[in-house]
């Protein structure tokens, strides 16, 4: 039996820049020096509240328009 794998909410956020990394760690506007592992892990939890702000007031914003 396998356990589900959850992808961090960050992956779908407009503020992440996957083309840039610091020491192999993805960056975003809230974490320009790299998204800390603890944050990455926390945002991977299935019940993580996407309305919880990151530093500097950034909040999750979906990078694609909501589908109807």
């Amino acid at each position: 039996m396998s356990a589900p794998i959850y992808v961090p909410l960050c992956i779908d956020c407009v503020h992440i820049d996957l083309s840039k990394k610091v020491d192999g760690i993805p960056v975003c506007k809230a974490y320009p020096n790299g998204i800390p592992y603890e944050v990455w892990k926390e945002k991977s939890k299935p019940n993580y509240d996407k309305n919880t702000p990151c530093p500097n007031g950034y909040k999750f914003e979906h990078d694609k328009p909501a589908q109807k």
Side-chain angles (χ1 to χ4, degrees), residues 19-40:
S19 69
K20 294 182 183 175
K21 294 182 179 179
V22 173
D23 295 328
I25 301 170
V27 301
C28 70
K29 289 183 179 179
Y31 296 101
N33 296 320
I35 301 170
Y37 174 75
E38 296 78 23
V39 171
W40 198 255

Side-chain angles (χ1 to χ4, degrees), residues 1-53:
M1 187 168 133
S2 62
I5 297 173
Y6 296 99
V7 175
L9 184 65
C10 306
I11 293 295
D12 288 330
C13 185
V14 299
H15 301 299
I16 195 166
D17 186 348
L18 294 173
S19 69
K20 294 182 183 175
K21 294 182 179 179
V22 173
D23 295 328
I25 301 170
V27 301
C28 70
K29 289 183 179 179
Y31 296 101
N33 296 320
I35 301 170
Y37 174 75
E38 296 78 23
V39 171
W40 198 255
K41 188 170 127 182
E42 182 68 22
K43 290 178 183 252
S44 296
K45 294 180 179 177
N47 59 349
Y48 182 77
D49 181 6
K50 66 181 179 183
N51 294 313
T52 302

